[in-house]
């Protein structure tokens, strides 16, 4: 039986990936770091179906112990300090977890399970402000945040492991993807929850940052399918995963608030606290290779994604 180990299983993608792999018949294991009050809400429904192990991307011995005990055939490295905004406040920590942490995992796997196939969660943030018609899965890269820098280190480390040691390490360069399981500090969830709160009369104002930033937003459950497909490919390759359409944060606000019959301009305000020291103004991906190499296509549109997220937030707040 195929055996998967997921780092970051308590996160948005980790939880959907666990759902997906279980459905495909995998034995699923996950690494969970210790915190004073565990917060397993995204995987509570999987309690009896996955095996959880203590471990931390900062701690080599814990990674070695888990790999030795589980002996996975596939490893999905999703653990990260994933909030770009926070990476300016904690750049060294972000580099340790997202950058060196990934290398720690690759090294531990090289020693203990060299045949395991590894998925590395790379990101469109590695492109920074490069024009969309110049970017490919091989670069160029020009990250503008400590988060993007750390992820680029992990990405190039993955390529090195492949080229130097023949390890099967494949990188999915994923553009933004969202869901009701998205953390509330990210812009989509902040806006959909804000729209639901405003509809219920619980807030009158939603302070926001740069409304003109544009992103290529997709549906997270679609994107975890691509992660799995990437590890089934004959050779380890790096592939962009995106919808090929972008929208502004303003359009996101418009869509979410109009879904509950409100005008975002009555609620959304600009607040300097939510602007970034260096913005990535626009990101737009090219899903051609994901379709050509993996047979992957996104199934949920931006409009549908926003509707589903607002409805989920409304149901949650009323429940
Ligand atoms: P997320 O919801 O923030 O989940 C991050 C996961 O990493 C959580 O399970 C978290 O555990 C875990 N983690 C954080 N620090 C850790 C450490 N030191 N040791 C072990 N685990 C640690 O992120 P996501 O949206 O699911 O994203 C998954 C991955 O894809 C991340 O690597 C992210 O950078 C990357 N990515 C995301 C997107 C996107 O749009 N979502 C796009 C491209 C790439 P706790 O529950 O304990 O915090
Ligand atoms: O910001 C702008 C903000 O925090 C999106 C992570 O999953 O995707 C994510 O990173 C845009 C930025 O995501 C607010 O300035 C405006 O331009 O939702 P976000 P992100 O930074 O794109 C990439 C691909 C990852 O890899 C990351 O892990 O929205 N924006 N006003 C705002 N953003 C936030 N958070 N809050 C605001 O009030």
């Amino acid at each position: 039986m195929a055996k998967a180990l997921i780092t970051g299983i308590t996160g948005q993608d980790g939880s959907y990936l666990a759902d997906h792999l279980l459905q495909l018949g995998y034995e699923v294991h996950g690494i969970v770091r210790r915190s004073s009050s565990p917060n397993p809400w995204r995987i509570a429904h999987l309690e009896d179906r996955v095996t959880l192990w203590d471990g931390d991307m900062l701690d080599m011995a814990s990674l070695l112990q888990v790999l030795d005990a589980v002996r996975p055939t596939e490893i999905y490295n999703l653990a990260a300090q994933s909030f770009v905004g926070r990476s300016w406040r904690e750049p060294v920590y972000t580099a340790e977890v997202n950058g060196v942490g990934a290398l720690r995992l690759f090294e531990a796997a090289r020693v203990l399970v060299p045949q395991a196939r590894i998925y590395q969660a790379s990101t469109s943030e590695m492109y920074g402000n490069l024009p969309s018609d110049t970017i490919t899965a091989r670069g160029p890269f020009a990250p503008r945040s400590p988060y993007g820098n750390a992820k680029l280190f992990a990405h190039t480390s993955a390529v090195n492991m492949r080229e130097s040691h023949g390890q099967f390490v494949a990188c999915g360069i994923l553009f933004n993807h969202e869901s009701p399981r998205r953390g509330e500090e990210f812009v989509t969830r902040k806006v959909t929850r804000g729209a639901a709160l405003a509809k219920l009369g619980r807030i009158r104002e939603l302070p926001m940052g740069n409304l003109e930033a544009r992103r290529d937003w997709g549906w997270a459950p679609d994107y975890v399918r691509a992660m799995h497909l990437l590890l089934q490919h004959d050779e380890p390759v790096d592939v962009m995963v995106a919808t090929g359409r972008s929208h502004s944060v303003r359009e996101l606000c418009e869509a979410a608030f109009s879904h509950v019959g409100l005008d975002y301009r009555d609620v959304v305000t600009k607040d300097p606290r939510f602007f970034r020291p260096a913005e990535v103004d626009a990101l737009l991906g090219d899903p051609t290779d994901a379709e050509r190499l993996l047979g992957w296509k996104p199934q949920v549109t931006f409009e549908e994604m926003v509707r589903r997220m607002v409805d989920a937030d409304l149901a949650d707040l009323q429940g």
Side-chain angles (χ1 to χ4, degrees):
M1 183 194 259
K3 214 192 262 189
L5 175 67
I6 304 174
T7 74
I9 194 168
T10 55
Q12 170 187 258
D13 291 4
S15 64
Y16 283 120
L17 181 64
D19 290 339
H20 184 57
L21 295 179
L22 284 168
Q23 216 164 33
L24 295 175
Y26 275 67
E27 180 180 315
V28 176
H29 297 255
I31 291 184
V32 180
R33 62 177 168 160
R34 191 191 173 277
S35 59
S36 53
S37 50
N39 188 17
W41 65 276
R42 294 185 180 96
I43 52 166
H45 62 293
L46 299 177
E47 204 181 359
D48 303 328
R49 303 180 62 206
V50 297
T51 308
L52 301 180
W53 301 84
D54 291 330
D56 197 302
M57 300 307 290
L58 300 177
D59 188 282
M60 183 66 157
S62 69
L63 299 179
L64 286 164
Q65 279 162 15
V66 178
L67 285 174
D68 194 23
V70 176
R71 301 272 159 180
T73 54
E74 294 178 11
I75 301 170
Y76 294 86
N77 183 33
L78 309 185
Q81 189 301 93
S82 75
F83 189 45
V84 175
R86 181 178 165 198
S87 77
W88 276 281
R89 296 192 294 278
E90 297 180 355
V92 178
Y93 174 75
T94 302
E96 287 283 0
V97 177
N98 300 6
V100 183
L103 181 56
R104 249 180 227 113
L105 182 68
F106 302 156
E107 280 289 283
R110 182 170 69 85
V111 172
L112 287 173
V113 282
Q115 300 308 320
R117 293 186 167 205
I118 305 177
Y119 173 86
Q120 169 57 24
S122 292
T123 166
S124 50
E125 278 293 305
M126 299 188 309
Y127 296 119
N129 264 336
L130 294 170
S132 61
D133 58 354
T134 66
I135 61 175
T136 74
R138 286 159 303 287
F141 300 113
R144 278 170 69 74
S145 64
Y147 170 83
N149 277 334
K151 281 287 186 176
L152 183 54
F153 174 80
H155 181 84
T156 50
S157 298
V159 175
N160 285 165
M161 298 310 276
R162 200 156 76 201
E163 293 177 352
S164 310
H165 303 298
Q167 264 179 300
F168 191 114
V169 191
C171 303
I173 306 178
L174 271 53
F175 286 65
N176 301 49
H177 46 280
E178 319 293 318
S179 74
R181 295 188 198 167
R182 188 58 140 154
E184 288 179 31
E185 68 275 39
F186 296 91
V187 76
T188 51
R189 187 76 200 290
K190 177 172 171 178
V191 168
T192 61
R193 198 155 184 87
L197 285 164
K199 175 68 182 171
L200 299 174
R202 298 202 204 163
I203 60 164
R204 298 171 78 164
E205 194 188 335
L206 184 64
M208 302 276 308
N210 178 13
L211 298 186
E212 313 316 326
R214 298 185 72 85
R215 289 291 182 275
D216 180 331
W217 278 296
W219 177 240
D222 278 347
Y223 285 47
V224 301
R225 283 193 291 109
M227 295 178 187
H228 171 256
L229 289 170
L230 197 51
L231 292 199
Q232 314 316 307
H233 193 59
D234 308 340
E235 298 163 358
V237 286
D238 304 328
V239 173
M240 271 193 221
V241 179
T243 70
R245 288 176 67 209
S246 79
H247 294 86
S248 66
V249 174
R250 186 182 296 285
E251 287 162 359
L252 165 71
C253 294
E254 225 159 25
F257 280 80
S258 67
H259 183 55
V260 293
L262 297 176
D263 186 333
Y264 78 96
R265 290 170 297 189
D266 298 332
V267 184
V268 169
T269 56
K270 278 199 182 172
D271 184 327
R273 284 178 305 152
F274 296 104
F275 284 78
R276 294 179 176 176
E279 177 66 286
V280 171
D281 301 312
L283 284 170
L284 174 64
D286 178 359
T288 315
D289 278 352
E291 185 174 358
R292 186 174 59 84
L293 297 171
L294 310 178
W296 179 88
K297 265 187 183 179
Q299 288 172 354
V300 176
T301 62
F302 168 79
E303 293 76 14
E304 179 60 21
M305 176 195 90
V306 173
R307 283 194 292 273
R308 288 185 190 185
M309 288 177 69
V310 174
D311 289 344
D313 274 312
L314 268 175
D316 181 49
L317 290 166
Q318 288 170 316

